[in-house]
C-alpha cells in the first residue's frame, strides 16, 4: 500500500536518494563555516540520506522481480538518452549499504582529518551520489555517467588526503579504471544502434538490451568489453594490482568506502549487464571466469600471507573474497548467485570494519606495519575484543555473515546447473572443493595478523602509550557488529529480498538468445524489403 502511494504521488525517492548528498555538499560549500560545523553538517546530510533510502527497504515488494520506484524523464532526446531509474532485489540492498557506510566514513574521519575538512566532506558526499546513482540507473549512458563520475571524488580523497605515495597510487587507480571504462562505452554505443527498435535510431535502455536477441559474435565482443571494465573494478587477477596501492595510501574512510562499495560495482556490473544481456557468451566464458576466480581465492590468499602491512593484507584478503563472488556469479544457480550477492553485502561490512580497526591503531601509533605492534590487548582490551569479532567474521566463522555467503556459494558450485557444467571440463564439485581451501588460507593470514598485533608480550614503549577506544570509535563499530551478527544468524530477510530478482536473473542467464537472433537475422531481408 505504501509503495502504491508513492507511485500515485510520483514521489522521486530514487532521485532524492541520489542527489540529496550533492545538494547537501553544495550547501556546506556555500554557507557552512568552521571545521567542526562542516563535520556536523556532513553527518546530518549523510544521516538524512540514509533515512531517505529506508523506504526502499520498508516498502519494497519482494515477491516480484520487476523494477520498482521507477522514474523516467527524457534527457538527451536527440539520441534517445533518458533519465531512467529503478531498483530490484539485487540493487536495493547496495543503496542502503552505501548510505550506511557513508555515515560511518564521516564519523571515522572526525578527528584524523584536520586539513581541508570542508573539501574532504564534500568529496565524500559527492561520491555517495555517484555510487547510489550506479545502483539506480537503468539507462546505459546514465549508468556510465555515474560510473565515471565516481573517479573524481575518489581520486581527490586518495590524492589529497592519502599517504606519502598517494600520487602514484591515485594515478594507477585512475588509469586502470578509466582504461576499462572506455571499452565499456564502446560496447554501450554499439548495443545502442544494434538494439534500437524499428523507427528509432538508438536505445540506451538496459532493460531493452536484456530483451534484444544479440547473435553470438555480438555477445562475444560485448562480454569482452564489459569484462575488462568490471574485472578492473572487482578487481580480478591479473588487473588487481592497483587495489593494494590504493588501500595503502588512502585515508581510513577512503579504504572503507573502497572496500565496502567500489569493489561491489564491478560484480554488480556482471549481474546487471553480462549475465542477462549476453547469456550465451557468459556461459561460453565460464571456464575462464572460474579459473580467474580460483586464482583469486587461492593464489591471492597466499600473497596475503606474505604482507607486512596490515592494510595491504586486508586489501589482498578483499580480492580473495571477491573471487568467491565471481565464482558464485558464473555458476548460474539460484543458491550460488544469492550467496555471491549476500557475500558482497557481508564483505561490505566486514572489510569496512577491518580497515576501521587498522585506522584506530594508526591514529595512535602512525604505522601500519605488523612488526611495529604486539601486546595491544594489554592496553586496548575492548579494541582487541572488537577486532577479534571481525577477524572471526573474515575467516567465515559460523554465526558471522561471511559464513552464510561462502557456504551458499560452495553449495551452489558443488551442484552447479548444466549451463555452467556443460562448459567446464572439470567437474564443479572439484571446483567447490578447491574453493573451500580458502577457509583454511583466510584463517592463516587473518589469525596470524591478529596474533602478532594483539597478543604477545608488551615490550614496545610506543605500544604501551596507546589508549583504548573512545566512545566515538566504539559507536561506529556497534552497527557493524550488530549487522554482521544479524546477517550471520538470521539472513532470511535479505535472502527473501534477493530471491525473486535472482530467480529471474538465473532464467535470463540460462536462456539462450541464439535461436531468436537467428530468426531475427532471417527476417531482416524481409523487413528491409517491406521498409526500404
Amino acid at each position: 500500500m505504501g509503495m502504491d502511494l508513492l507511485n500515485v504521488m510520483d514521489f522521486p525517492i530514487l532521485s532524492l536518494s541520489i542527489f540529496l548528498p550533492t545538494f547537501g555538499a553544495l550547501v556546506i560549500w556555500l554557507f557552512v563555516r568552521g571545521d567542526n560545523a562542516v563535520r556536523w553538517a556532513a553527518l546530518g546530510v549523510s544521516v538524512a540520506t540514509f533515512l531517505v533510502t529506508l523506504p526502499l527497504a520498508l516498502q519494497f515488494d519482494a515477491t516480484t522481480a520487476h523494477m520498482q520506484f521507477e522514474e523516467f524523464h527524457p534527457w538527451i532526446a536527440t539520441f534517445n538518452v533518458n533519465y531512467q531509474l529503478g531498483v530490484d532485489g539485487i540493487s536495493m540492498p547496495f543503496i542502503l549499504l552505501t548510505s550506511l557506510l557513508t555515515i560511518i566514513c564521516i564519523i571515522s574521519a572526525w578527528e584524523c582529518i584536520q586539513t581541508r575538512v570542508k573539501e574532504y566532506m564534500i568529496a565524500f558526499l559527492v561520491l555517495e551520489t555517484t555510487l547510489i546513482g550506479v545502483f539506480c540507473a537503468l539507462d546505459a549512458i546514465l549508468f556510465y555517467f555515474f560510473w565515471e563520475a565516481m573517479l573524481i571524488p575518489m581520486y581527490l580523497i586518495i590524492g589529497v588526503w592519502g599517504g606519502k605515495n598517494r600520487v602514484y597510487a591515485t594515478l594507477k587507480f585512475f588509469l586502470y579504471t578509466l582504461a576499462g571504462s572506455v571499452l565499456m562505452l564502446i560496447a554501450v554505443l554499439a548495443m545502442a544502434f544494434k538494439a534500437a527498435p524499428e523507427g528509432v535510431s538508438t536505445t540506451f535502455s538496459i532493460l531493452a538490451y536484456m530483451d534484444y536477441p544479440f547473435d553470438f559474435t555480438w555477445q562475444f565482443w560485448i562480454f569482452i568489453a564489459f569484462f575488462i571494465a568490471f574485472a578492473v573494478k572487482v578487481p580480478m587477477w591479473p588487473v588487481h594490482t592497483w587495489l593494494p596501492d590504493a588501500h595503502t595510501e588512502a585515508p581510513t574512510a577512503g579504504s572503507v568506502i573502497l572496500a565496502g562499495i567500489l569493489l561491489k560495482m564491478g560484480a554488480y556490473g556482471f549481474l546487471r549487464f553480462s549475465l542477462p544481456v549476453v547469456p550465451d557468451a557468459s556461459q561460453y566464458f565460464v571456464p575462464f571466469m572460474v579459473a580467474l576466480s580460483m586464482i583469486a581465492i587461492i593464489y591471492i590468499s597466499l600473497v596475503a600471507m606474505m604482507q607486512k602491512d596490515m592494510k595491504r593484507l586486508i586489501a589482498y584478503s578483499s580480492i580473495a573474497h571477491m573471487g568467491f563472488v565471481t565464482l558464485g556469479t558464473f555458476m548460474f544457480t539460484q543458491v550460488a548467485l544469492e550467496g555471491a550477492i549476500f557475500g558482497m553485502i557481508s564483505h561490505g561490512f566486514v572489510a569496512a570494519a577491518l580497515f576501521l580497526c587498522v585506522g584506530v591503531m594508526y591514529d595512535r601509533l602512525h604505522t601500519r606495519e605488523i612488526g611495529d605492534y604486539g601486546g595491544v590487548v594489554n592496553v586496548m582490551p575492548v579494541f582487541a575484543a572488537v577486532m577479534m569479532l571481525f577477524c572471526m567474521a573474515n575467516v567465515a566463522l559460523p554465526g558471522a555473515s561471511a559464513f552464510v555467503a561462502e557456504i551458499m556459494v560452495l553449495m551452489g558450485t558443488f551442484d552447479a546447473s548444466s549451463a555452467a557444467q556443460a562448459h567446464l571440463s572439470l567437474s564443479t564439485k572439484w571446483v567447490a572443493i578447491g574453493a573451500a581451501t580458502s577457509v583454511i588460507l583466510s584463517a592463516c593470514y587473518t589469525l596470524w595478523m591478529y596474533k602478532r598485533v594483539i597478543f604477545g608480550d608488551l615490550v614496545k614503549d610506543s605500544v604501551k602509550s596507546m589508549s583504548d577506544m573512545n566512545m566515538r570509535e566504539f559507536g561506529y563499530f556497534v552497527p557493524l557488529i550488530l549487522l554482521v551478527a544479524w546477517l550471520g544468524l538470521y539472513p532470511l530477510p535479505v535472502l527473501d529480498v534477493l530471491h525473486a530478482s535472482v530467480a529471474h536473473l538465473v532464467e535470463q542467464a540460462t536462456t539462450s538468445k541464439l535461436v531468436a537472433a537467428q530468426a531475427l537475422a532471417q527476417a531482416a531481408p524481409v523487413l528491409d524489403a517491406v521498409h526500404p
Side-chain angles (χ1 to χ4, degrees):
M1 179 64 184
M3 190 178 69
D4 294 338
L5 181 60
L6 285 177
N7 289 337
V8 169
M9 296 173 63
D10 291 325
F11 187 77
I13 188 170
L14 294 182
S15 291
L16 186 60
S17 301
I18 293 170
F19 294 108
L20 179 58
T22 295
F23 177 76
L26 182 63
V27 171
I28 291 172
W29 177 47
L30 293 175
F31 302 110
V32 181
R33 300 289 181 268
D35 289 349
N36 206 41
V38 167
R39 294 185 181 100
W40 281 106
L43 179 60
V45 172
S46 62
V47 170
T49 304
F50 176 70
L51 294 176
V52 166
T53 60
L54 277 182
L56 296 178
L58 299 176
Q59 301 177 5
F60 187 82
D61 183 2
T63 63
T64 178
H66 293 115
M67 292 294 169
Q68 301 177 41
F69 306 99
E70 287 190 81
E71 299 176 33
F72 184 92
H73 303 284
W75 184 16
I76 308 173
T78 304
F79 300 105
N80 199 27
V81 178
N82 300 301
Y83 178 79
Q84 186 176 4
L85 305 175
V87 294
D88 60 0
I90 295 172
S91 56
M92 187 272 290
F94 292 107
I95 298 173
L96 268 71
L97 179 65
T98 303
S99 61
L100 177 60
L101 285 185
T102 302
I103 298 174
I104 292 173
C105 286
I106 288 174
I107 298 174
S108 70
W110 206 268
E111 294 179 358
C112 61
I113 300 297
Q114 296 293 332
T115 59
R116 299 186 178 183
V117 175
K118 177 182 285 192
E119 290 84 353
Y120 182 87
M121 295 302 177
I122 288 174
F124 251 99
L125 292 174
V126 173
L127 179 62
E128 184 178 16
T129 282
T130 60
L131 295 175
I132 294 177
V134 165
F135 297 122
C136 293
L138 295 181
D139 182 276
I141 293 296
L142 187 64
F143 179 93
Y144 185 80
F145 170 80
F146 287 123
W147 179 276
E148 289 296 278
M150 174 277 305
L151 293 177
I152 300 171
M154 199 66 218
Y155 180 95
L156 294 174
I157 289 167
I158 301 175
V160 176
W161 295 276
K164 61 181 180 180
N165 294 321
R166 59 186 180 274
V167 175
Y168 168 77
T170 305
L171 287 175
K172 194 173 183 180
F173 159 71
F174 191 88
L175 292 175
Y176 265 70
T177 51
L178 184 64
S181 299
V182 169
L183 293 174
M184 181 171 74
L185 179 60
I186 294 172
V188 166
L189 294 175
M191 289 191 297
F193 288 98
K194 181 69 173 178
E198 186 178 349
V200 180
S201 59
T202 57
T203 180
F204 291 95
S205 169
I206 297 174
L207 300 179
Y209 297 160
M210 293 179 184
D211 294 334
Y212 188 83
F214 294 101
D215 63 37
F216 187 77
T217 302
W218 273 84
Q219 290 193 42
F220 182 91
W221 291 111
I222 290 170
F223 183 94
I224 292 290
F226 278 114
F227 164 77
I228 294 172
F230 300 148
V232 170
K233 270 290 200 305
V234 168
M236 300 180 71
W237 182 89
V239 289
H240 66 284
T241 57
W242 65 268
L243 183 67
D245 292 322
H247 270 308
T248 302
E249 301 305 325
T252 299
S255 292
V256 169
I257 206 71
L258 187 61
I261 305 298
L262 265 71
L263 304 192
K264 313 305 179 289
M265 289 169 55
Y268 176 78
F270 284 124
L271 299 172
R272 187 58 81 215
F273 284 92
S274 301
L275 267 61
V277 175
V278 288
D280 300 283
S282 296
Q283 294 177 27
Y284 179 80
F285 280 101
V286 163
F288 177 67
M289 297 302 295
V290 168
L292 294 186
S293 300
M294 294 300 291
I295 291 173
I297 292 171
I298 299 174
Y299 168 69
I300 299 298
S301 293
L302 296 174
V303 173
M305 291 184 192
M306 305 304 295
Q307 302 308 306
K308 298 178 180 179
D309 183 298
M310 286 185 284
K311 264 196 169 186
R312 293 186 75 86
L313 187 149
I314 299 168
Y316 280 112
S317 171
S318 295
I319 299 170
H321 285 294
M322 291 305 292
F324 255 96
V325 170
T326 51
L327 177 65
T329 298
F330 283 85
M331 285 297 105
F332 303 98
T333 64
Q334 179 89 16
V335 173
L337 263 170
E338 287 186 10
I341 300 169
F342 195 87
M344 286 192 271
I345 299 168
S346 167
H347 180 263
F349 295 129
V350 175
L354 287 174
F355 280 114
L356 287 169
C357 288
V358 175
V360 167
M361 291 186 286
Y362 182 82
D363 289 344
R364 287 154 174 77
L365 219 56
H366 300 289
T367 176
R368 294 182 297 266
E369 293 294 318
I370 295 173
D372 292 337
Y373 292 88
V376 171
V377 69
N378 296 289
V379 291
M380 302 178 68
V382 176
F383 170 77
V386 169
M387 187 172 180
M388 181 190 68
L389 291 173
F390 292 116
C391 284
M392 293 299 103
N394 197 55
V395 174
L397 194 75
S401 55
F403 173 78
V404 177
E406 292 193 9
I407 200 69
M408 289 182 70
V409 170
L410 291 174
M411 289 172 61
T413 302
F414 195 83
D415 189 29
S417 68
S418 57
Q421 200 159 346
H423 296 274
L424 280 173
S425 57
L426 183 68
S427 170
T428 53
K429 293 179 174 59
W430 288 106
V431 172
I433 293 169
T437 60
S438 71
V439 176
I440 300 171
L441 296 174
S442 63
C444 289
Y445 61 73
T446 304
L447 299 182
W448 173 80
M449 176 190 71
Y450 185 79
K451 174 184 176 294
R452 293 193 62 191
V453 171
I454 301 299
F455 294 121
D457 295 329
L458 186 60
V459 296
K460 296 182 175 66
D461 291 334
S462 56
V463 176
K464 291 178 182 178
S465 65
M466 295 172 68
S467 58
D468 213 337
M469 290 192 304
N470 56 43
M471 289 303 297
R472 178 183 61 85
E473 292 168 335
F474 188 72
Y476 59 66
F477 278 119
V478 167
L480 294 174
I481 294 171
L482 294 176
L483 285 165
V484 169
W486 172 58
L487 292 175
L489 297 172
Y490 188 54
L492 195 59
V494 176
L495 295 177
D496 283 344
V497 168
L498 298 176
H499 193 75
S501 295
V502 171
H504 180 60
L505 178 60
V506 170
E507 182 182 358
Q508 289 177 308
T510 55
T511 303
S512 174
K513 289 186 174 183
L514 299 186
V515 174
Q518 185 177 13
L520 184 65
Q522 293 173 347
V526 177
L527 293 175
D528 290 340
V530 175
H531 301 285

